Amino acid sequence: MRLLHRSRLALGLALVVAALAALPVMAQERGITPTEIILGTTAPLSGPAAPWGATARGIEAYLQYINEQGGIHGRTIRFEIRDDGYQPPRAVANVLELVERVGVFGIVGMIGSANAAAVRDYIFQNEVIWMTPAVESDPWIGNPNIHYLFVTYPNYYQEAKILARYAVQELGKQRVAIIYQNDQYGMNGLRGVRDALAELGMAPVAEVSYELTDVDLSVHALRIGQARADAVILYATPNHGAMAAAALAQLNPRPQILSSFTLADPIMARLAGAAWDGVIVPSYFPYPGTDEKVDRVLQILVERNPELAAMAFNALAGVTFIEPMLEGFRRAGPNLTKESFVAAMESIQNWDGELLRGVTFGPGRRQGINRIFLARMEGGVPHQLTDWIEYPVEY
Amino acid sequence: MQLIQKYEEEMALVRGWAGWMGVALLAAALLAAPWFLRGYQLYIANIIGSKIIVAIGLNLLVGYTGQISLGHVGFVAIGAYAATHFVTAFQKAAAFQWLGGPFWVALLVGGAAAAVFGVLVGLPALRLEGPYLSIVTLGFGLAVQQLLINWPAVSGGRIGLFVPTARIGPWLLNSHQSMYFLVWTCVVLLSLVAFNLTRSHVGRAFVALRDSDIAAEVTGVNLRYYKTLAFAVSAFYAGFGGALEAYVVRYLEPTMFNLYESIYYLAMVVVGGLGTIPGSMFGATLLTLLQFGLSQAQEYLPVVYGAVVILVMTIEPLGLYGRWLKIKLWSKTWPL
């Protein structure tokens, strides 16, 4: 009896050893098996920024569709989502877990400058593929560690410059003001507006900041009125953007609002009502309702997760984070490794996806897009105003 | 059954062979953990350690002294930022560069800075009680966060502040493993201090204040001194824990110190067991593990978290420590 026990133990040990020995062979390239590619993200699915978690849900639904089509080169894509509640310490734990336990090939997206900043060094040191963290571009410009980073997210600073120039040169506005959120995002907008106006020999007539915790922006709007601004550039969250638009609509004469692309979601027309009519908003991919391919993607997402219908732009933005990565997988072929993936991504030149258009990467180029277009919102429906407006490639 | 004959025996931290066995096992487990846990698990263990220190401090205030704080995260933030700025300033001073910024001093600076504010917040506590005190402390916590947001010179604004790596001479504590030893050494030391504090006349004065401050004053407890002291000590623990967490995460940003965090700390203390040091450890461990370990639950995390808290409070109003006492009692006649 005891003998039997021992032999069982020995067998068990042998199995464990065999399993351990097999590990390094299987784990040749982290996150890639013959049948699967493992990707992960950490997103605010609970807590104050939960609505932005829709980007992760958008990616999830789109990957479900890709897997239903048979995946890419015989590999399906597993997407691991972790909740960080918009808290940097938890985002760090999630990324560590995704890389070290789950063993992901890459991290897709990431919401919040703070969360991205907290994990940045770890991701760079461990040479993890990182697709489009949805944050400002400053940390990447001039950074030598971004070999495994690919970004298709507009630059707030450049966008603000384009908005300010458009207000002055195309709309003939002489008194430009800005309402911005007092954080990294808003500050980038402020910098862009100041610099663009300075180039034209002007300066903002009012710079009004608000806090995330503010629940009323009517005083802020009054300051715009006092400064007799005829155009206001807006860097705000959807809720604050709607509040600001409603308050600005009370002014006489009513200033022209130009807003950041983060307020491009049609939900703005519902939040702000008629006050959102006439607002000029940029986008970095065609609006749903104006482009067949985009509509098709939205339909794919909503079929798989009906909740996304209410958050169309955010869900689609999620897809823009991952779309070029999927093209990279296609180009890298069946023999996928980290380096073959990077080479494949660098071969992407002026590529049109379902959502993104004109994506270009290259050796030493990690900024995938460098253009936006402007549209005027009427009753929640965008009317395109300009063709693509390009801005410099900086990283 | 053990017959206690002397006062020293009654006061002993560890009693009997079973107690010493338990301590030895715990010590062995803590020492061995770095070889069994993976990198991210060690990181979570380090976060747990820093939260335990904050929870112990809060329990000294809430559980022992009967005061309330809904703004404890304010002290945590003050400790974290004070320590970080101290180390950064130290590193910049050319004469001290070879020291590389002594983190142990930084941890104490973090604690001390928070303690100073603890005294300030403790002063209104002399006149306020219950709901009124909770509003004052709530305001303090919110004010600290808002101040940080609007004072970029201190907080680095919303860009955040990167915390230098802790080092002892030439030894850089840049791995989770080395941080583990630092954090848990601090946890053990500060737990011992807390244990001893609660067994001393200071701890008795705290408990007397909690049970009836009038009766305590009549028996000679200086209300003004001990209430303020309770706030100072509690804030010191919070600041120290905050400084440790800064070293663990290596990044600070004002949103890390929001109102929710204060509530979580309070929940740790209540779920663990009010007025007990081990309870603070149980509570901090369980609730941090839930938050960090269940990130796969995604949107359902808050629901799971809430359900566990309700469950623990329903079946064990004395908290996890109460359940632990019952297990100990039951096992006294083991194996029968």
Side-chain angles (χ1 to χ4, degrees), chain A residues 45 57 81-83 87 89 92-94 96-97 100-101 114 120 182-184 211, chain B residues 38-40 43 149-150 158-159 162 251 253 255-256 258 291-292 295-296 298-299 302:
Chain A
L45 298 170
R57 292 288 171 225
I81 304 177
R82 298 286 182 274
D83 173 35
Q87 281 290 303
V92 173
N94 289 344
L96 290 174
E97 194 239 357
E100 293 171 15
R101 191 185 70 83
R120 195 159 79 200
N182 188 15
D183 67 359
Q184 184 68 3
E211 294 299 327
Chain B
R38 293 176 190 226
Y40 81 96
Y43 168 82
I149 289 172
N150 291 301
R158 289 278 170 76
I159 307 162
F162 289 87
Y251 179 74
E253 210 266 355
T255 52
M256 285 164 66
N258 59 30
Q291 252 193 352
F292 281 73
S295 59
Q296 296 175 54
Q298 299 164 12
E299 286 95 337

mmCIF file of all heavy atoms in Angstrom, chain A residues 45 57 81-83 87 89 92-94 96-97 100-101 114 120 182-184 211, chain B residues 38-40 43 149-150 158-159 162 251 253 255-256 258 291-292 295-296 298-299 302:
data_model
loop_
_atom_site.group_PDB
_atom_site.id
_atom_site.type_symbol
_atom_site.label_atom_id
_atom_site.label_comp_id
_atom_site.label_asym_id
_atom_site.label_seq_id
_atom_site.Cartn_x
_atom_site.Cartn_y
_atom_site.Cartn_z
ATOM 1 N N LEU A 45 -13.612 50.088 -15.698
ATOM 2 C CA LEU A 45 -14.954 49.519 -15.884
ATOM 3 C C LEU A 45 -15.850 49.851 -14.702
ATOM 4 O O LEU A 45 -17.063 49.752 -14.778
ATOM 5 C CB LEU A 45 -14.864 48.008 -16.064
ATOM 6 C CG LEU A 45 -14.074 47.567 -17.297
ATOM 7 C CD1 LEU A 45 -13.822 46.084 -17.267
ATOM 8 C CD2 LEU A 45 -14.797 47.960 -18.572
ATOM 9 N N ARG A 57 -14.835 47.408 -24.222
ATOM 10 C CA ARG A 57 -15.956 46.562 -24.673
ATOM 11 C C ARG A 57 -16.053 46.568 -26.206
ATOM 12 O O ARG A 57 -16.433 45.573 -26.809
ATOM 13 C CB ARG A 57 -17.257 47.065 -24.043
ATOM 14 C CG ARG A 57 -17.321 46.870 -22.558
ATOM 15 C CD ARG A 57 -17.494 45.401 -22.218
ATOM 16 N NE ARG A 57 -17.347 45.165 -20.794
ATOM 17 C CZ ARG A 57 -16.644 44.170 -20.274
ATOM 18 N NH1 ARG A 57 -16.020 43.311 -21.059
ATOM 19 N NH2 ARG A 57 -16.569 44.003 -18.982
ATOM 20 N N ILE A 81 -9.568 41.430 -20.173
ATOM 21 C CA ILE A 81 -9.859 42.782 -19.688
ATOM 22 C C ILE A 81 -9.789 42.797 -18.163
ATOM 23 O O ILE A 81 -10.315 41.909 -17.503
ATOM 24 C CB ILE A 81 -11.270 43.233 -20.126
ATOM 25 C CG1 ILE A 81 -11.399 43.140 -21.644
ATOM 26 C CG2 ILE A 81 -11.546 44.655 -19.655
ATOM 27 C CD1 ILE A 81 -12.774 43.495 -22.153
ATOM 28 N N ARG A 82 -9.126 43.786 -17.633
ATOM 29 C CA ARG A 82 -9.045 43.953 -16.177
ATOM 30 C C ARG A 82 -9.575 45.324 -15.802
ATOM 31 O O ARG A 82 -9.340 46.296 -16.509
ATOM 32 C CB ARG A 82 -7.593 43.840 -15.703
ATOM 33 C CG ARG A 82 -6.935 42.494 -15.967
ATOM 34 C CD ARG A 82 -7.466 41.434 -15.020
ATOM 35 N NE ARG A 82 -6.813 40.153 -15.241
ATOM 36 C CZ ARG A 82 -7.212 39.251 -16.140
ATOM 37 N NH1 ARG A 82 -8.260 39.486 -16.901
ATOM 38 N NH2 ARG A 82 -6.571 38.108 -16.259
ATOM 39 N N ASP A 83 -10.245 45.378 -14.666
ATOM 40 C CA ASP A 83 -10.783 46.656 -14.193
ATOM 41 C C ASP A 83 -9.757 47.332 -13.292
ATOM 42 O O ASP A 83 -9.195 46.693 -12.411
ATOM 43 C CB ASP A 83 -12.072 46.393 -13.414
ATOM 44 C CG ASP A 83 -12.594 47.648 -12.752
ATOM 45 O OD1 ASP A 83 -12.440 48.724 -13.344
ATOM 46 O OD2 ASP A 83 -13.154 47.551 -11.652
ATOM 47 N N GLN A 87 -7.626 53.805 -11.115
ATOM 48 C CA GLN A 87 -6.637 53.988 -10.057
ATOM 49 C C GLN A 87 -5.265 53.465 -10.492
ATOM 50 O O GLN A 87 -5.128 52.268 -10.794
ATOM 51 C CB GLN A 87 -7.078 53.228 -8.806
ATOM 52 C CG GLN A 87 -8.135 53.932 -8.005
ATOM 53 C CD GLN A 87 -7.582 55.169 -7.318
ATOM 54 O OE1 GLN A 87 -6.637 55.108 -6.561
ATOM 55 N NE2 GLN A 87 -8.159 56.318 -7.629
ATOM 56 N N PRO A 89 -2.463 52.532 -8.899
ATOM 57 C CA PRO A 89 -1.891 51.321 -8.285
ATOM 58 C C PRO A 89 -2.525 50.043 -8.820
ATOM 59 O O PRO A 89 -1.856 49.023 -8.987
ATOM 60 C CB PRO A 89 -2.207 51.490 -6.795
ATOM 61 C CG PRO A 89 -2.384 52.943 -6.592
ATOM 62 C CD PRO A 89 -2.988 53.456 -7.879
ATOM 63 N N VAL A 92 -1.273 49.276 -12.355
ATOM 64 C CA VAL A 92 0.042 48.645 -12.306
ATOM 65 C C VAL A 92 -0.117 47.151 -12.018
ATOM 66 O O VAL A 92 0.464 46.307 -12.707
ATOM 67 C CB VAL A 92 0.932 49.301 -11.214
ATOM 68 C CG1 VAL A 92 2.226 48.537 -11.056
ATOM 69 C CG2 VAL A 92 1.221 50.750 -11.571
ATOM 70 N N ALA A 93 -0.917 46.820 -10.996
ATOM 71 C CA ALA A 93 -1.115 45.409 -10.648
ATOM 72 C C ALA A 93 -1.663 44.646 -11.847
ATOM 73 O O ALA A 93 -1.226 43.529 -12.136
ATOM 74 C CB ALA A 93 -2.067 45.288 -9.459
ATOM 75 N N ASN A 94 -2.617 45.256 -12.556
ATOM 76 C CA ASN A 94 -3.237 44.572 -13.696
ATOM 77 C C ASN A 94 -2.233 44.312 -14.810
ATOM 78 O O ASN A 94 -2.209 43.220 -15.386
ATOM 79 C CB ASN A 94 -4.396 45.404 -14.241
ATOM 80 C CG ASN A 94 -5.572 45.412 -13.289
ATOM 81 O OD1 ASN A 94 -5.650 44.587 -12.383
ATOM 82 N ND2 ASN A 94 -6.479 46.341 -13.476
ATOM 83 N N LEU A 96 1.040 44.127 -14.539
ATOM 84 C CA LEU A 96 1.993 43.108 -14.071
ATOM 85 C C LEU A 96 1.380 41.720 -14.238
ATOM 86 O O LEU A 96 2.024 40.781 -14.702
ATOM 87 C CB LEU A 96 2.338 43.327 -12.596
ATOM 88 C CG LEU A 96 3.187 44.541 -12.239
ATOM 89 C CD1 LEU A 96 3.304 44.678 -10.730
ATOM 90 C CD2 LEU A 96 4.569 44.400 -12.834
ATOM 91 N N GLU A 97 0.114 41.598 -13.833
ATOM 92 C CA GLU A 97 -0.537 40.296 -13.892
ATOM 93 C C GLU A 97 -0.706 39.840 -15.340
ATOM 94 O O GLU A 97 -0.467 38.680 -15.672
ATOM 95 C CB GLU A 97 -1.894 40.372 -13.195
ATOM 96 C CG GLU A 97 -2.500 39.032 -12.901
ATOM 97 C CD GLU A 97 -3.855 38.829 -13.557
ATOM 98 O OE1 GLU A 97 -4.357 39.775 -14.207
ATOM 99 O OE2 GLU A 97 -4.403 37.742 -13.445
ATOM 100 N N GLU A 100 2.916 38.986 -16.589
ATOM 101 C CA GLU A 100 3.668 37.925 -15.913
ATOM 102 C C GLU A 100 2.859 36.645 -15.693
ATOM 103 O O GLU A 100 3.414 35.561 -15.695
ATOM 104 C CB GLU A 100 4.195 38.433 -14.566
ATOM 105 C CG GLU A 100 5.251 39.519 -14.757
ATOM 106 C CD GLU A 100 5.651 40.196 -13.458
ATOM 107 O OE1 GLU A 100 5.340 39.651 -12.383
ATOM 108 O OE2 GLU A 100 6.271 41.265 -13.532
ATOM 109 N N ARG A 101 1.559 36.761 -15.452
ATOM 110 C CA ARG A 101 0.790 35.541 -15.217
ATOM 111 C C ARG A 101 0.066 35.082 -16.485
ATOM 112 O O ARG A 101 0.246 33.972 -16.944
ATOM 113 C CB ARG A 101 -0.234 35.718 -14.091
ATOM 114 C CG ARG A 101 -0.857 34.389 -13.656
ATOM 115 C CD ARG A 101 -1.940 34.593 -12.637
ATOM 116 N NE ARG A 101 -3.124 35.223 -13.206
ATOM 117 C CZ ARG A 101 -4.085 34.567 -13.859
ATOM 118 N NH1 ARG A 101 -4.024 33.275 -14.001
ATOM 119 N NH2 ARG A 101 -5.114 35.215 -14.366
ATOM 120 N N ALA A 114 -2.662 59.241 -15.964
ATOM 121 C CA ALA A 114 -1.998 58.789 -14.743
ATOM 122 C C ALA A 114 -1.715 57.291 -14.811
ATOM 123 O O ALA A 114 -0.619 56.839 -14.499
ATOM 124 C CB ALA A 114 -2.857 59.106 -13.529
ATOM 125 N N ARG A 120 4.224 52.971 -17.573
ATOM 126 C CA ARG A 120 5.069 53.246 -18.729
ATOM 127 C C ARG A 120 6.451 52.595 -18.628
ATOM 128 O O ARG A 120 6.861 51.835 -19.509
ATOM 129 C CB ARG A 120 5.213 54.762 -18.812
ATOM 130 C CG ARG A 120 5.735 55.293 -20.079
ATOM 131 C CD ARG A 120 5.341 56.743 -20.175
ATOM 132 N NE ARG A 120 6.205 57.584 -19.361
ATOM 133 C CZ ARG A 120 5.869 58.813 -18.952
ATOM 134 N NH1 ARG A 120 4.685 59.294 -19.252
ATOM 135 N NH2 ARG A 120 6.705 59.534 -18.252
ATOM 136 N N ASN A 182 -8.846 71.334 -15.926
ATOM 137 C CA ASN A 182 -7.553 71.578 -15.289
ATOM 138 C C ASN A 182 -6.795 70.261 -15.089
ATOM 139 O O ASN A 182 -6.651 69.763 -13.977
ATOM 140 C CB ASN A 182 -7.760 72.301 -13.957
ATOM 141 C CG ASN A 182 -6.458 72.736 -13.355
ATOM 142 O OD1 ASN A 182 -5.426 72.747 -14.034
ATOM 143 N ND2 ASN A 182 -6.478 73.083 -12.089
ATOM 144 N N ASP A 183 -6.340 69.694 -16.188
ATOM 145 C CA ASP A 183 -5.513 68.491 -16.112
ATOM 146 C C ASP A 183 -4.628 68.427 -17.355
ATOM 147 O O ASP A 183 -4.582 69.362 -18.157
ATOM 148 C CB ASP A 183 -6.356 67.222 -15.940
ATOM 149 C CG ASP A 183 -7.202 66.904 -17.158
ATOM 150 O OD1 ASP A 183 -7.153 67.674 -18.149
ATOM 151 O OD2 ASP A 183 -7.914 65.900 -17.130
ATOM 152 N N GLN A 184 -3.952 67.322 -17.506
ATOM 153 C CA GLN A 184 -2.997 67.167 -18.587
ATOM 154 C C GLN A 184 -3.657 67.361 -19.954
ATOM 155 O O GLN A 184 -3.126 68.024 -20.836
ATOM 156 C CB GLN A 184 -2.384 65.756 -18.470
ATOM 157 C CG GLN A 184 -1.298 65.451 -19.450
ATOM 158 C CD GLN A 184 -0.069 66.278 -19.181
ATOM 159 O OE1 GLN A 184 -0.019 67.043 -18.234
ATOM 160 N NE2 GLN A 184 0.912 66.151 -20.033
ATOM 161 N N GLU A 211 -12.745 72.393 -12.815
ATOM 162 C CA GLU A 211 -12.290 71.156 -12.181
ATOM 163 C C GLU A 211 -13.258 70.028 -12.495
ATOM 164 O O GLU A 211 -14.452 70.253 -12.681
ATOM 165 C CB GLU A 211 -12.226 71.337 -10.663
ATOM 166 C CG GLU A 211 -11.182 72.314 -10.201
ATOM 167 C CD GLU A 211 -9.771 71.892 -10.586
ATOM 168 O OE1 GLU A 211 -9.510 70.673 -10.628
ATOM 169 O OE2 GLU A 211 -8.942 72.779 -10.863
ATOM 170 N N ARG B 38 4.753 35.194 -7.418
ATOM 171 C CA ARG B 38 5.264 35.794 -8.652
ATOM 172 C C ARG B 38 5.359 37.299 -8.487
ATOM 173 O O ARG B 38 4.814 37.862 -7.545
ATOM 174 C CB ARG B 38 4.305 35.507 -9.790
ATOM 175 C CG ARG B 38 4.236 34.061 -10.170
ATOM 176 C CD ARG B 38 3.177 33.988 -11.227
ATOM 177 N NE ARG B 38 2.825 32.612 -11.529
ATOM 178 C CZ ARG B 38 2.702 32.173 -12.781
ATOM 179 N NH1 ARG B 38 2.948 32.983 -13.788
ATOM 180 N NH2 ARG B 38 2.326 30.945 -12.996
ATOM 181 N N GLY B 39 6.011 37.925 -9.456
ATOM 182 C CA GLY B 39 6.255 39.366 -9.388
ATOM 183 C C GLY B 39 5.010 40.161 -9.039
ATOM 184 O O GLY B 39 5.012 40.941 -8.089
ATOM 185 N N TYR B 40 3.912 39.944 -9.775
ATOM 186 C CA TYR B 40 2.746 40.790 -9.541
ATOM 187 C C TYR B 40 2.089 40.462 -8.214
ATOM 188 O O TYR B 40 1.478 41.314 -7.587
ATOM 189 C CB TYR B 40 1.756 40.674 -10.704
ATOM 190 C CG TYR B 40 0.874 39.473 -10.646
ATOM 191 C CD1 TYR B 40 -0.396 39.544 -10.103
ATOM 192 C CD2 TYR B 40 1.326 38.253 -11.122
ATOM 193 C CE1 TYR B 40 -1.207 38.436 -10.046
ATOM 194 C CE2 TYR B 40 0.524 37.143 -11.059
ATOM 195 C CZ TYR B 40 -0.744 37.229 -10.515
ATOM 196 O OH TYR B 40 -1.533 36.134 -10.439
ATOM 197 N N TYR B 43 3.989 42.346 -5.707
ATOM 198 C CA TYR B 43 3.574 43.753 -5.773
ATOM 199 C C TYR B 43 2.291 43.955 -4.964
ATOM 200 O O TYR B 43 2.188 44.887 -4.172
ATOM 201 C CB TYR B 43 3.374 44.160 -7.234
ATOM 202 C CG TYR B 43 2.675 45.480 -7.428
ATOM 203 C CD1 TYR B 43 3.374 46.675 -7.343
ATOM 204 C CD2 TYR B 43 1.306 45.530 -7.690
ATOM 205 C CE1 TYR B 43 2.731 47.879 -7.510
ATOM 206 C CE2 TYR B 43 0.659 46.729 -7.860
ATOM 207 C CZ TYR B 43 1.373 47.903 -7.778
ATOM 208 O OH TYR B 43 0.721 49.107 -7.939
ATOM 209 N N ILE B 149 -4.379 68.798 -6.476
ATOM 210 C CA ILE B 149 -4.733 68.986 -7.881
ATOM 211 C C ILE B 149 -4.345 70.390 -8.341
ATOM 212 O O ILE B 149 -3.842 70.587 -9.438
ATOM 213 C CB ILE B 149 -6.246 68.742 -8.089
ATOM 214 C CG1 ILE B 149 -6.564 67.255 -7.940
ATOM 215 C CG2 ILE B 149 -6.700 69.244 -9.453
ATOM 216 C CD1 ILE B 149 -8.042 66.944 -7.927
ATOM 217 N N ASN B 150 -4.556 71.370 -7.459
ATOM 218 C CA ASN B 150 -4.350 72.760 -7.868
ATOM 219 C C ASN B 150 -2.984 73.322 -7.508
ATOM 220 O O ASN B 150 -2.756 74.511 -7.638
ATOM 221 C CB ASN B 150 -5.441 73.634 -7.245
ATOM 222 C CG ASN B 150 -6.784 73.324 -7.856
ATOM 223 O OD1 ASN B 150 -6.969 73.456 -9.056
ATOM 224 N ND2 ASN B 150 -7.707 72.852 -7.033
ATOM 225 N N ARG B 158 -1.495 67.061 -12.828
ATOM 226 C CA ARG B 158 -2.065 65.800 -13.279
ATOM 227 C C ARG B 158 -1.076 64.979 -14.087
ATOM 228 O O ARG B 158 -1.371 63.888 -14.534
ATOM 229 C CB ARG B 158 -3.330 66.068 -14.091
ATOM 230 C CG ARG B 158 -4.480 66.555 -13.253
ATOM 231 C CD ARG B 158 -5.180 65.385 -12.580
ATOM 232 N NE ARG B 158 -6.153 65.809 -11.590
ATOM 233 C CZ ARG B 158 -7.341 66.296 -11.864
ATOM 234 N NH1 ARG B 158 -7.737 66.430 -13.093
ATOM 235 N NH2 ARG B 158 -8.154 66.651 -10.912
ATOM 236 N N ILE B 159 0.144 65.533 -14.302
ATOM 237 C CA ILE B 159 1.178 64.741 -14.961
ATOM 238 C C ILE B 159 1.671 63.697 -13.975
ATOM 239 O O ILE B 159 2.132 62.635 -14.346
ATOM 240 C CB ILE B 159 2.371 65.632 -15.393
ATOM 241 C CG1 ILE B 159 1.870 66.797 -16.207
ATOM 242 C CG2 ILE B 159 3.409 64.829 -16.143
ATOM 243 C CD1 ILE B 159 2.860 67.935 -16.297
ATOM 244 N N PHE B 162 6.977 61.109 -10.293
ATOM 245 C CA PHE B 162 7.644 59.813 -10.259
ATOM 246 C C PHE B 162 8.496 59.720 -8.999
ATOM 247 O O PHE B 162 9.220 60.656 -8.672
ATOM 248 C CB PHE B 162 8.479 59.610 -11.519
ATOM 249 C CG PHE B 162 7.630 59.387 -12.736
ATOM 250 C CD1 PHE B 162 7.159 60.454 -13.484
ATOM 251 C CD2 PHE B 162 7.263 58.099 -13.105
ATOM 252 C CE1 PHE B 162 6.340 60.246 -14.586
ATOM 253 C CE2 PHE B 162 6.447 57.889 -14.202
ATOM 254 C CZ PHE B 162 5.992 58.974 -14.944
ATOM 255 N N TYR B 251 4.862 56.012 -8.298
ATOM 256 C CA TYR B 251 4.198 57.071 -9.046
ATOM 257 C C TYR B 251 3.084 57.626 -8.174
ATOM 258 O O TYR B 251 2.385 56.867 -7.496
ATOM 259 C CB TYR B 251 3.623 56.504 -10.343
ATOM 260 C CG TYR B 251 2.886 57.507 -11.179
ATOM 261 C CD1 TYR B 251 3.572 58.474 -11.899
ATOM 262 C CD2 TYR B 251 1.498 57.500 -11.229
ATOM 263 C CE1 TYR B 251 2.896 59.411 -12.652
ATOM 264 C CE2 TYR B 251 0.815 58.432 -11.989
ATOM 265 C CZ TYR B 251 1.525 59.383 -12.698
ATOM 266 O OH TYR B 251 0.850 60.317 -13.437
ATOM 267 N N GLU B 253 -0.254 60.463 -8.031
ATOM 268 C CA GLU B 253 -1.145 61.341 -8.791
ATOM 269 C C GLU B 253 -2.330 61.638 -7.890
ATOM 270 O O GLU B 253 -2.786 60.751 -7.161
ATOM 271 C CB GLU B 253 -1.575 60.614 -10.074
ATOM 272 C CG GLU B 253 -1.862 61.498 -11.239
ATOM 273 C CD GLU B 253 -3.312 61.851 -11.333
ATOM 274 O OE1 GLU B 253 -4.103 61.315 -10.523
ATOM 275 O OE2 GLU B 253 -3.659 62.665 -12.168
ATOM 276 N N THR B 255 -5.471 61.782 -8.094
ATOM 277 C CA THR B 255 -6.693 60.942 -8.091
ATOM 278 C C THR B 255 -6.511 59.680 -7.254
ATOM 279 O O THR B 255 -7.493 59.026 -6.923
ATOM 280 C CB THR B 255 -7.090 60.486 -9.505
ATOM 281 O OG1 THR B 255 -5.968 59.884 -10.114
ATOM 282 C CG2 THR B 255 -7.616 61.612 -10.348
ATOM 283 N N MET B 256 -5.251 59.318 -6.947
ATOM 284 C CA MET B 256 -5.040 58.130 -6.118
ATOM 285 C C MET B 256 -5.560 58.348 -4.706
ATOM 286 O O MET B 256 -5.713 57.403 -3.942
ATOM 287 C CB MET B 256 -3.541 57.801 -6.043
ATOM 288 C CG MET B 256 -2.994 57.180 -7.297
ATOM 289 S SD MET B 256 -1.184 57.227 -7.341
ATOM 290 C CE MET B 256 -0.746 56.148 -5.999
ATOM 291 N N ASN B 258 -8.526 59.795 -3.480
ATOM 292 C CA ASN B 258 -9.890 60.324 -3.491
ATOM 293 C C ASN B 258 -10.698 59.799 -2.306
ATOM 294 O O ASN B 258 -10.238 58.958 -1.539
ATOM 295 C CB ASN B 258 -10.575 60.002 -4.824
ATOM 296 C CG ASN B 258 -10.622 58.519 -5.077
ATOM 297 O OD1 ASN B 258 -10.673 57.730 -4.140
ATOM 298 N ND2 ASN B 258 -10.585 58.120 -6.336
ATOM 299 N N GLN B 291 -9.935 43.870 -4.118
ATOM 300 C CA GLN B 291 -9.828 44.914 -5.137
ATOM 301 C C GLN B 291 -8.820 44.568 -6.212
ATOM 302 O O GLN B 291 -9.062 44.755 -7.392
ATOM 303 C CB GLN B 291 -9.390 46.207 -4.465
ATOM 304 C CG GLN B 291 -10.486 47.205 -4.387
ATOM 305 C CD GLN B 291 -9.956 48.559 -4.003
ATOM 306 O OE1 GLN B 291 -8.796 48.724 -3.661
ATOM 307 N NE2 GLN B 291 -10.810 49.531 -4.060
ATOM 308 N N PHE B 292 -7.652 44.086 -5.781
ATOM 309 C CA PHE B 292 -6.578 43.861 -6.738
ATOM 310 C C PHE B 292 -6.679 42.495 -7.391
ATOM 311 O O PHE B 292 -6.282 42.317 -8.536
ATOM 312 C CB PHE B 292 -5.216 44.013 -6.051
ATOM 313 C CG PHE B 292 -4.814 45.435 -5.859
ATOM 314 C CD1 PHE B 292 -5.441 46.208 -4.905
ATOM 315 C CD2 PHE B 292 -3.839 46.008 -6.640
ATOM 316 C CE1 PHE B 292 -5.097 47.533 -4.718
ATOM 317 C CE2 PHE B 292 -3.480 47.338 -6.469
ATOM 318 C CZ PHE B 292 -4.115 48.093 -5.499
ATOM 319 N N SER B 295 -9.737 41.838 -10.295
ATOM 320 C CA SER B 295 -9.904 42.773 -11.410
ATOM 321 C C SER B 295 -10.489 42.069 -12.624
ATOM 322 O O SER B 295 -11.012 42.699 -13.520
ATOM 323 C CB SER B 295 -8.568 43.427 -11.763
ATOM 324 O OG SER B 295 -7.637 42.439 -12.104
ATOM 325 N N GLN B 296 -10.440 40.740 -12.616
ATOM 326 C CA GLN B 296 -11.043 39.998 -13.722
ATOM 327 C C GLN B 296 -12.561 40.033 -13.664
ATOM 328 O O GLN B 296 -13.234 39.748 -14.637
ATOM 329 C CB GLN B 296 -10.593 38.543 -13.687
ATOM 330 C CG GLN B 296 -9.122 38.385 -13.910
ATOM 331 C CD GLN B 296 -8.673 36.960 -13.750
ATOM 332 O OE1 GLN B 296 -9.184 36.056 -14.375
ATOM 333 N NE2 GLN B 296 -7.697 36.763 -12.892
ATOM 334 N N GLN B 298 -14.192 42.542 -13.483
ATOM 335 C CA GLN B 298 -14.574 43.707 -14.275
ATOM 336 C C GLN B 298 -15.707 44.518 -13.645
ATOM 337 O O GLN B 298 -15.579 44.913 -12.490
ATOM 338 C CB GLN B 298 -14.878 43.273 -15.703
ATOM 339 C CG GLN B 298 -13.635 42.655 -16.339
ATOM 340 C CD GLN B 298 -13.930 41.853 -17.583
ATOM 341 O OE1 GLN B 298 -15.008 41.914 -18.115
ATOM 342 N NE2 GLN B 298 -12.951 41.117 -18.040
ATOM 343 N N GLU B 299 -16.793 44.744 -14.371
ATOM 344 C CA GLU B 299 -17.856 45.607 -13.850
ATOM 345 C C GLU B 299 -18.447 45.083 -12.544
ATOM 346 O O GLU B 299 -19.032 45.832 -11.784
ATOM 347 C CB GLU B 299 -19.007 45.757 -14.851
ATOM 348 C CG GLU B 299 -18.711 46.647 -16.025
ATOM 349 C CD GLU B 299 -18.236 45.850 -17.212
ATOM 350 O OE1 GLU B 299 -17.731 44.728 -16.994
ATOM 351 O OE2 GLU B 299 -18.355 46.343 -18.356
ATOM 352 N N PRO B 302 -17.249 45.930 -7.947
ATOM 353 C CA PRO B 302 -17.862 46.634 -6.812
ATOM 354 C C PRO B 302 -18.979 45.821 -6.160
ATOM 355 O O PRO B 302 -19.164 45.886 -4.938
ATOM 356 C CB PRO B 302 -18.424 47.917 -7.436
ATOM 357 C CG PRO B 302 -17.657 48.097 -8.700
ATOM 358 C CD PRO B 302 -17.325 46.729 -9.185
#
